[in-house]
Amino acid sequence: MAGNDWINSYLEAILDAGPGIDAAKASSLLLRERGSFSPTRYFVEEVITGFDETDLYKTWVRAAAMRSPQERNTRLENMCWRIWNLARKKKQIEGEEALGISKSRLERERARRDATADMSEDLSEGEKGDANNDMSTHGDSNRGRMPRISSAEAIEAWASQYKDRKLYIVLISFIHGLIRGENMHELGRDSWSHTGGQVKYVVELARALGSMPGVYRVDLLTRQISAPDVDWSYGEPTEMLTPRISDMHEMGESSGAYIIRIPFGPKDKYIPKELLWPHIQEFVDGALSHVMQMSKVLGEQIGGGKPVWPVAIHGHYADAGDSAALLSGALNVPMLFTGHSLGRDKLEQLLKQGRQTREEINVTYKIMRRIEAEELSLDASEIVITSTRQEIEQQWRLYDGFDVILERKLRARIKRGVSCYGRHMPRMVVIPPGMEFKDIASHDGDADGESEGNDDNPANPDPLIWSEIMRFFTNPRKPMILALSRPDPKKNITTLVKAFGECRPLRELANLTLIMGNRDDIDEMSSTNSSVLTTVLKLIDKYDLYGLVAYPKHHRQSDVTEIYRLAAKTKGVFINPAFIEPFGLTLIEAAASGLPIVATKNGGPVDIHKVLDNGILVDPHDQQAIADALYKLVSDKQLWARCRQHGLKNIHQFSWPEHCKTYLSKIFSCRPRHPHWQRRDDEFGDSEPDSPNDSLRDSKDISLNLKLSLDGGKNEDNGKENLENAVANLSKGVLGPAQKVASGERTDHNSHKLPLLRRKYVMVIAVDSVVDADLISIVKSIFVASSDSMSGNLGFILATHLTISEIHSLLTAGGIVPTDFDAFICNSGSDIYYPSSNSEDLIYPSELPFALDIDYHSQIEYRWGGEGLKRTLVRWAASVNSQNREKEEIVTEDVEHSSTYCHSFLVKNPSLVPPIKELRKQMRSQALRCHVLYSHDGSKLNIIPVLASRSQALRYLFVRWGLQLSNMIVCIGESGDSDYEGLLGGVHKSVILKGSFNTVPSEVHSARSYPLTDVVAFDNPNILQIKGYEANDIKFALEKLGILKK
C-alpha cells in the first residue's frame, strides 16, 4: 500500500538485528504461527498489509540513521512492538465497526417494517421497482444516458420558454470563506486543499445560473474574512461574478451573479471549517438579513412592489446545508442540498485506517456535528443533488434519513395518490457538474501527433509549462500518460508508477507525467502528502525511470489546459487511478481536450464513461489491469482515435447550459413556497414606530392572520363566525392599555397597534433551569430593571416548552398580567401567541385572552407528520413501557397539552427513556421528519415540526414583523431544554443567569452526539454571564450590552 515501501528496508534491518528481539518476545509473536518464524512474512502478511502510518516512517528514518548498533536495535525493537499494538488496535476497531454495521442493518430493516405497517398497504408491484437498476425514484428516468441539449437550437428553445421568469436563487457554500470569482487557489490553506474543486464548481454554478434566461439574480453566500494572513479580496462584502459568455440575456439593475460575504465569528481571523460550527447561527442571522433586504430591493425593481423571495436556497457541504435548512425554514422557501463530501463516509474511511478511535476522530474533525448537519439537511431538503449514482447508493445509504427501498415505496405511493401517512423522503437527483469549454477546446492540429515546438512560428511559442515538463524526458515525442491529482494515498499514484515501471513494453512506448500539486520543499508538506511523494521518488529510482517520468514542482491553474493539450498533441492518455472517485471532473477536462481516459471503476467515472464512451475502466487495485489498459490505448492508434472522437462528440453533455437547464427544471418541479402574507410597501419602510396612520392598518393586518384560541390549534375550526367576531374584537382595540403589576407600570399609548411593532429592543425570557417560583422572580426582576429608562422601548417575550394555558396559570398565580408580555413562544417553539387585554369580549368565556399567529404555522408545517407521526410515537411509547419489568408506565401521551403542531408526552422516569439522538434516529429511519425535545428536567417530551424551535420562532418574528434580531436579548439559565444551544447562538445578545437557583439538568441531556462547545462559542462578545437574577444584576447586564445607559 502507498506509504509502506519503506517497510522492506525496515524488515531487513530486523532480520539483521539478531538478538535485538529476544526469544520470549519472538515466541509471543508466534502464538498462531506454525513452523519456523519469518519476521518479514509475519509483519507483511499479518500486520502491515493495508496499514499506513506515516509517523512510523519518520521514526524508521531516524532509527536507520543511528550509528550505534545497540541504540538502533533498541529503536527497531520499539517500532516492532508499536506496529504490533497499532495493528491490534486496528483489528479491535474494525470488529467494533462490524458489530455497529450489523446493528444498524437490523434497525433499518425494523424501521422499514414499522413504516410499511403504518402505511397499512402491502408493497405493490409498482412500489417494488427494480432494486438494482430502476433509478427513476431518484428523479432520473433515463437509464442509459443523461438528458442533454444536443444543439444550439434546443438551448434557444429553452431560453424562449423561460425568458420571462425573473428568479432569485440563493446558494450557500463552504462558509470558511475562501471563495472568490478568480484565482481561487489560496495556497497553504487546509480548507482549500480538501474543498478546492468543490469551491470552483459552486462559483461556476452561480456564474452560469446568473447567465441563464429566466434567472434574474443569484447570490452565493459565504463568510467575510478581513484577516492579515489572507488576501484582501476575501474581505470585500460583494463581488460580482463576470459572465463567461458574451451573448447574455437582458440584465437589470441588480441582476447577475454575486458572491455575498456575511461577517460572522471573529472579525480579523481565518477559521478552519472544522471550527466554524459554533458560529453557524450567527451566519444564518446575517444571511437572513441580507435576503430580506434583497427581496425588498428586487420587489421594487421587478416585483411590482411586492417582495421577490428566493425560489430556492441551495446548501453546499455540511455546514452550508445546516445553514440553508435554518434559513429556508425561516423564510418558508424550498431547500436543495449537495453534500460534495459526506461525513459518515469519511468516518468509515478513517475508522478503516485504524489510526484513530471514533472519539479521537470526532475531536479532530467534529465529525458527529457534521453528520448531524447532514441529517438535518436531509430532513429539510426537497431535492438532494448528487454527481453520481454511486453517491446515492453507497454514501447516502449510510444516513438514518435516507433509505433507497423506503424512498422507492414512498415515491410510488405519491405517484398513485396514496397517503404516505406523514412520511417524507428527499428526492435524489443526479446532475453531473458542468464545465466551461471555451478555454478547454481541442485543436485540430493536436490530432496529427506532431509534438515539435513552434519553431516556424515564433510569434506563437509553446507554453512555458510544456518546456517545464519536456525537460524530464529523454524522448519527448513519445505518447504522454498524464495523471493530475494531489499526492494523497487515496489517489493511488504509487500503484500507477509501479504499473508503469514493471511493464517494459509500456515504458518503451510512452512517457509518464505526474502533476502532483505545487511544492517548494517536501519536508514542508503535510506528513501524508510528503510520504506519498517520497514513495513516488523512490519508485522512480527503483525502476530507473529517469528520462521517462516528469514530476514538475510548480504549475498555475491556467497551465492545466495546456498540460491536457500537450498530452493530446503527443497522442497520450489521461488516467485517474484513485481507489474511489466521487465524480472525476478531470476526466471531463481531459476529454474536452481530446484525450482518451483510463479511470477507476469505483464511483463517478462509471457514469462519465457511460456518456462519453472514450476509454477504459479498471480496478484500481489491479496493477496489471492498469498497465494493460494504458498499453492498449497508446499502442492501438485506431482505438485511440475512436475514443478521442467519442469524447469530443459527447462532451457538451457536461456543459454549463445543460447543467443549469436540468438544475432549473428540478427547481420548477418543487411546490412554490414563500411567506404567504401580503405586506404593503409602507410596512417595510415605516421609520416612525408610533405613527397613528399605521395603527388601524396594522390592526386589520393582524386580524386577518390571528385568532383567539387555547393551546395552539385545538380551536382552529370553530367556524367563520368565531373568527369574524375575533377580528372585530381586535379592531375595537383588544390590544389595549396594559395593567399594573407588582414590578411596575407599563403603558401602551397606541392601543390598536401590535405592541411588538413599537419596540426598539425585545427581552426574551427563556430560562428553563429554574423552578416556577424562581422564574416568576426572574420575570419581575427584569420588569423592575427596565421600568425606568426603557418604558415603551423594551418588549418582552416568554419562550418555553409550556402550553399557553400553563403559562396563563403560572403568570396569574405569580401576580403578573399576561399583557405585560408582547408575545409568547409556547410548546417548545411550535406556537406563537399575542396577549389580549380584554377577555370579556371573547366569544367563549372559557377561552384565554391570547391570539394565535396562524401565519407562523404556515411557516413550520413543512413535512409535519401529523397523525401519522402521532401514531408512530404512541407505538414507540408503548414499546418503551413494555420494556419496563415493573410494568410501570414510563412514557404516556399528554393529550391535554398536545396541539396541532406539538405532540406531547409525559416522562415519569427519565432514566429509562432513550436519549434524543436515539429517538431522532428512529423517526428518521421511518421517514418521519420532526424535532424531538426534552424539557430541562426530563419530565416532558415535545415533538414538533422539524424546522420549528424557539430560536426559529425569533427569526419568524423578524421576517413577519421586522423585529431586529440584533436588538433581542435572550435571557437563559446555565442549562436548558434540548434546543438550548440554539438560544445561545446568533446575532442576538444572550445573558446566562448563573447561580445555585439553576437546577441540575436531567440525565436524558447527557447523551449528546457532540459537546456543547462544538456548537456554541462561549467567548462570543454577545454572550454575557452574570451571577444572580436580582433587578440590579439584570440592570448591570443590560448596561454591559449597551441596551441601558449607565
Side-chain angles (χ1 to χ4, degrees):
M1 183 176 177
N4 287 328
D5 294 274
W6 59 272
I7 206 66
N8 293 329
S9 56
Y10 164 54
L11 293 172
E12 290 174 2
I14 290 178
L15 293 174
D16 294 338
I21 302 178
D22 59 39
K25 292 182 178 178
S27 63
S28 68
L29 292 175
L30 300 173
L31 294 177
R32 289 185 287 179
E33 291 286 332
R34 296 293 184 268
S36 60
F37 171 53
S38 171
T40 303
R41 187 177 124 203
Y42 177 81
F43 279 97
V44 171
E45 294 183 0
E46 300 294 329
V47 179
I48 299 301
T49 301
F51 189 82
D52 183 18
E53 176 56 63
T54 53
D55 289 342
L56 286 176
Y57 168 71
K58 292 184 176 180
T59 304
W60 158 239
V61 170
R62 289 194 295 268
M66 300 301 299
R67 294 186 177 182
S68 168
Q70 182 178 359
E71 186 174 354
R72 181 169 64 249
N73 291 343
T74 301
R75 291 201 176 199
L76 290 173
E77 185 176 338
N78 290 336
M79 278 189 69
C80 166
W81 288 105
R82 183 179 174 191
I83 292 177
W84 183 61
N85 286 326
L86 285 170
R88 289 182 59 192
K89 178 180 176 183
K90 179 182 179 182
K91 290 180 180 179
Q92 179 183 356
I93 293 172
E94 288 175 345
E96 293 172 353
E97 286 305 304
L99 289 175
I101 291 172
S102 177
K103 180 182 176 182
S104 298
R105 186 180 296 113
L106 291 174
E107 290 175 346
R108 176 149 292 184
E109 291 175 355
R110 187 183 304 115
R112 287 181 195 148
R113 289 197 301 269
D114 292 343
T116 302
D118 272 0
M119 291 189 285
S120 73
E121 292 186 16
D122 294 332
L123 191 66
S124 67
E125 290 301 317
E127 291 170 302
K128 290 178 181 176
D130 184 345
N132 296 321
N133 299 318
D134 184 7
M135 296 304 298
S136 62
T137 57
H138 295 141
D140 186 356
S141 60
N142 190 328
R143 290 173 183 259
R145 296 180 183 271
M146 287 167 266
R148 60 173 293 196
I149 297 178
S150 58
S151 65
E153 289 77 10
I155 297 177
E156 290 177 3
W158 165 269
S160 176
Q161 182 180 359
Y162 293 102
K163 65 180 180 180
D164 293 332
R165 298 205 184 198
K166 290 181 171 58
L167 304 180
Y168 175 32
I169 299 174
V170 173
L171 309 178
I172 306 176
S173 177
F174 303 98
I175 60 174
H176 55 66
L178 297 181
I179 299 177
R180 57 185 176 188
E182 306 293 340
N183 302 319
M184 283 180 262
H185 284 278
E186 182 72 13
L187 298 178
R189 289 293 175 185
D190 54 339
S191 293
W192 177 264
S193 66
H194 293 92
T195 64
Q198 298 153 5
V199 168
K200 180 182 178 182
Y201 160 73
V202 179
V203 170
E204 294 305 321
L205 171 62
R207 195 193 310 270
L209 284 173
S211 304
M212 289 294 290
V215 177
Y216 188 79
R217 182 180 174 99
V218 178
D219 282 342
L220 172 54
L221 309 184
T222 187
R223 181 176 179 237
Q224 183 184 33
I225 309 175
S226 300
D229 55 340
V230 299
D231 192 83
W232 63 270
S233 59
Y234 296 113
E236 290 295 297
T238 303
E239 177 185 350
M240 184 173 185
L241 297 175
T242 307
R244 299 292 192 198
I245 58 177
S246 57
D247 53 337
M248 285 284 297
H249 60 280
E250 184 177 350
M251 303 288 282
E253 182 179 349
S254 298
S255 62
Y258 299 83
I259 297 177
I260 305 296
R261 299 184 175 92
I262 307 295
F264 70 96
K267 305 296 184 185
D268 56 351
K269 183 180 179 182
Y270 166 77
I271 303 177
K273 62 183 185 298
E274 291 83 7
L275 303 181
L276 274 173
W277 294 109
H279 307 284
I280 291 286
Q281 300 267 357
E282 188 179 352
F283 170 78
V284 172
D285 290 346
L288 183 59
S289 296
H290 167 77
V291 173
M292 289 286 292
Q293 182 180 6
M294 186 51 58
S295 295
K296 175 186 174 183
V297 171
L298 296 181
E300 295 171 350
Q301 294 179 8
I302 59 175
K306 297 179 180 179
V308 174
W309 303 104
V311 68
I313 297 174
H314 188 170
H316 293 265
Y317 197 72
D319 51 9
D322 190 295
S323 305
L326 297 177
L327 187 60
S328 67
L331 292 169
N332 194 27
V333 167
M335 174 187 165
L336 284 66
F337 180 61
T338 301
H340 294 283
S341 171
L342 298 182
R344 284 198 189 274
D345 183 61
K346 180 168 184 174
L347 176 61
E348 240 187 25
Q349 299 302 323
L350 291 172
L351 287 171
K352 285 180 180 178
Q353 292 178 11
R355 300 182 195 174
Q356 295 175 294
T357 64
R358 183 183 292 266
E359 291 72 22
E360 291 169 342
I361 293 170
N362 193 38
V363 170
T364 304
Y365 299 101
K366 305 296 184 288
I367 201 76
M368 300 312 296
R369 178 63 183 90
R370 173 177 169 181
I371 290 172
E372 178 56 31
E374 290 161 343
E375 292 280 11
L376 176 60
S377 299
L378 280 175
D379 290 338
S381 297
E382 294 203 19
I383 294 175
V384 175
I385 296 176
T386 70
S387 299
T388 66
R389 291 184 178 90
Q390 181 271 345
E391 187 178 342
I392 299 172
E393 297 171 343
Q394 300 299 321
Q395 297 184 45
W396 278 118
R397 70 172 179 81
L398 301 173
Y399 285 78
D400 302 329
F402 182 75
D403 181 86
V404 174
I405 296 175
L406 188 54
E407 193 267 356
R408 183 174 297 113
K409 179 178 176 66
L410 294 175
R411 186 69 55 197
R413 295 177 73 92
I414 292 171
K415 289 180 179 178
R416 291 165 45 217
V418 179
S419 172
C420 294
Y421 296 92
R423 287 170 167 78
H424 302 275
M425 195 76 75
R427 185 151 49 105
M428 294 283 175
V429 175
V430 178
I431 310 179
M435 279 195 63
E436 176 60 55
F437 297 117
K438 176 174 65 68
D439 296 326
I440 306 180
S442 63
H443 298 263
D444 293 338
D446 293 346
D448 298 334
E450 298 297 330
S451 58
E452 296 94 354
N454 292 332
D455 296 334
D456 297 334
N457 186 11
N460 188 24
D462 290 339
L464 292 177
I465 191 64
W466 285 19
S467 59
E468 181 66 20
I469 293 173
M470 295 295 215
R471 69 184 178 88
F472 285 89
F473 299 135
T474 304
N475 182 3
R477 299 174 184 271
K478 291 197 298 184
M480 178 194 297
I481 298 170
L482 172 63
L484 192 155
S485 71
R486 64 181 185 272
D488 188 295
K490 294 181 293 186
K491 297 302 181 180
N492 201 26
I493 300 174
T494 53
T495 300
L496 170 61
V497 178
K498 290 177 183 178
F500 182 77
E502 295 180 10
C503 182
R504 184 184 184 94
L506 185 61
R507 295 200 311 269
E508 292 175 348
L509 193 60
N511 293 321
L512 176 63
T513 297
L514 304 174
I515 307 296
M516 299 177 288
N518 290 283
R519 63 188 183 278
D520 290 319
D521 189 335
I522 294 178
D523 292 336
E524 295 178 358
M525 301 173 68
S526 68
S527 59
T528 302
N529 291 352
S530 65
S531 176
V532 172
L533 194 55
T534 302
T535 301
V536 168
L537 296 177
K538 288 187 174 182
L539 288 172
I540 291 172
D541 186 74
K542 176 181 178 179
Y543 296 113
D544 194 15
L545 300 179
Y546 300 105
L548 299 175
V549 180
Y551 41 95
K553 296 181 67 171
H554 297 285
H555 73 281
R556 295 172 299 176
Q557 181 65 23
S558 57
D559 291 333
V560 173
T561 302
E562 300 299 339
I563 296 172
Y564 287 127
R565 194 159 71 88
L566 174 61
K569 190 176 184 67
T570 63
K571 292 194 175 180
V573 177
F574 180 80
I575 179 169
N576 182 337
F579 290 117
I580 184 169
E581 182 61 58
F583 180 65
L585 196 60
T586 53
L587 297 174
I588 300 175
E589 294 175 342
S593 297
L595 274 173
I597 64 169
V598 173
T600 176
K601 68 176 185 179
N602 299 329
V606 175
D607 290 330
I608 294 174
H609 185 261
K610 283 182 180 178
V611 176
L612 297 180
D613 190 22
N614 69 329
I616 302 172
L617 299 179
V618 295
D619 181 352
H621 299 279
D622 191 337
Q623 181 176 312
Q624 187 60 47
I626 293 174
D628 292 345
L630 291 171
Y631 182 78
K632 185 175 182 180
L633 279 172
V634 296
S635 63
D636 189 338
K637 298 304 179 185
Q638 290 184 345
L639 175 62
W640 185 92
R642 188 162 62 249
C643 289
R644 168 189 167 86
Q645 195 61 34
H646 287 173
L648 293 174
K649 177 182 178 182
N650 298 318
I651 192 63
H652 289 285
Q653 295 186 43
F654 294 98
S655 67
W656 274 118
E658 166 65 17
H659 179 95
C660 292
K661 174 220 142 184
T662 307
Y663 180 94
L664 292 173
S665 68
K666 300 305 177 185
I667 289 181
F668 295 153
S669 70
C670 297
R671 180 174 66 88
R673 291 188 292 119
H674 55 79
H676 77 280
W677 57 83
Q678 301 298 317
R679 300 178 67 174
R680 298 181 177 88
D681 287 341
D682 50 3
E683 285 186 83
F684 282 104
D686 183 12
S687 59
E688 176 53 52
D690 289 325
S691 172
N693 295 329
D694 292 332
S695 301
L696 185 58
R697 182 201 67 206
D698 290 326
S699 177
K700 290 180 179 178
D701 184 45
I702 298 165
S703 67
L704 292 174
N705 297 287
L706 309 176
K707 79 179 157 179
L708 306 174
S709 177
L710 174 65
D711 284 354
K714 286 188 176 182
N715 299 315
E716 287 187 10
D717 298 318
N718 284 341
K720 181 177 180 181
E721 181 181 358
N722 188 356
L723 178 59
E724 289 176 349
N725 288 331
V727 169
N729 290 337
L730 281 167
S731 298
K732 286 189 294 182
V734 171
L735 302 177
Q739 302 175 22
K740 293 182 180 180
V741 294
S743 60
E745 183 176 349
R746 299 169 58 221
T747 303
D748 294 338
H749 300 290
N750 189 347
S751 63
H752 293 287
K753 192 168 183 177
L754 183 70
L756 274 176
L757 297 175
R758 298 183 290 101
R759 309 302 187 196
K760 182 177 180 181
Y761 298 101
V762 174
M763 174 75 83
V764 181
I765 302 172
V767 185
D768 308 319
S769 57
V770 298
V771 298
D772 290 349
D774 284 332
L775 179 59
I776 292 297
S777 298
I778 290 171
V779 171
K780 291 180 179 181
S781 295
I782 291 174
F783 285 173
V784 170
S786 60
S787 60
D788 297 333
S789 57
M790 295 295 292
S791 179
N793 288 328
L794 181 63
F796 299 93
I797 296 174
L798 184 62
T800 175
H801 69 268
L802 300 175
T803 65
I804 192 65
S805 59
E806 290 175 312
I807 291 174
H808 183 264
S809 300
L810 176 66
L811 294 180
T812 53
I816 300 175
V817 178
T819 50
D820 283 323
F821 285 90
D822 297 280
F824 299 95
I825 299 173
C826 314
N827 294 322
S828 300
S830 62
D831 292 316
I832 296 178
Y833 286 88
Y834 306 100
S836 168
S837 62
N838 193 351
S839 60
E840 294 179 359
D841 290 338
L842 295 178
I843 300 161
Y844 299 107
S846 61
E847 290 184 344
L848 299 177
F850 301 102
L852 174 66
D853 192 333
I854 302 174
D855 279 339
Y856 179 61
H857 284 171
S858 71
Q859 294 281 104
I860 64 173
E861 67 180 357
Y862 174 67
R863 292 201 164 173
W864 176 236
E867 289 301 314
L869 171 61
K870 179 180 178 181
R871 185 162 53 188
T872 301
L873 290 168
V874 170
R875 188 178 64 245
W876 166 81
S879 69
V880 172
N881 293 331
S882 66
Q883 296 173 10
N884 184 21
R885 296 179 180 178
E886 299 178 1
K887 304 302 180 182
E888 176 189 1
E889 287 193 333
I890 302 171
V891 182
T892 57
E893 184 183 2
D894 187 3
V895 178
E896 180 184 357
H897 295 127
S898 294
S899 66
T900 306
Y901 293 94
C902 178
H903 299 318
S904 289
F905 290 81
L906 297 176
V907 181
K908 295 184 179 179
N909 191 341
S911 64
L912 298 179
V913 296
I916 279 181
K917 62 180 181 180
E918 292 300 324
L919 181 53
R920 191 177 291 155
K921 179 179 180 179
Q922 291 183 41
M923 296 301 105
R924 282 170 172 161
S925 63
Q926 296 190 48
L928 291 165
R929 314 296 175 174
C930 56
H931 193 180
V932 182
L933 298 157
Y934 280 114
S935 63
H936 178 265
D937 61 4
S939 64
K940 191 169 185 179
L941 171 65
N942 282 348
I943 294 88
I944 62 178
V946 66
L947 293 178
S949 67
R950 288 182 288 178
S951 59
Q952 283 292 89
L954 297 180
R955 293 188 176 101
Y956 166 81
L957 294 175
F958 167 56
V959 175
R960 182 67 181 95
W961 304 115
L963 297 179
Q964 292 300 317
L965 292 169
S966 59
N967 288 344
M968 291 184 181
I969 308 99
V970 179
C971 192
I972 54 180
E974 291 185 61
S975 55
D977 295 353
S978 300
D979 62 346
Y980 177 75
E981 62 193 48
L983 297 169
L984 280 167
V987 299
H988 65 256
K989 281 77 174 175
S990 298
V991 177
I992 301 177
L993 305 180
K994 299 176 70 69
S996 59
F997 51 87
N998 285 280
T999 59
V1000 178
S1002 169
E1003 55 194 287
V1004 296
H1005 297 284
S1006 61
R1008 298 177 58 92
S1009 298
Y1010 44 83
L1012 190 62
T1013 52
D1014 282 1
V1015 288
V1016 177
F1018 284 100
D1019 57 349
N1020 188 329
N1022 284 338
I1023 297 178
L1024 180 64
Q1025 303 186 40
I1026 63 172
K1027 291 185 177 181
Y1029 60 75
E1030 299 299 330
N1032 288 336
D1033 302 321
I1034 303 297
K1035 190 172 183 180
F1036 167 79
L1038 294 177
E1039 291 174 349
K1040 191 80 172 176
L1041 294 171
I1043 308 301
L1044 289 178
K1045 294 182 179 180
K1046 297 182 180 180

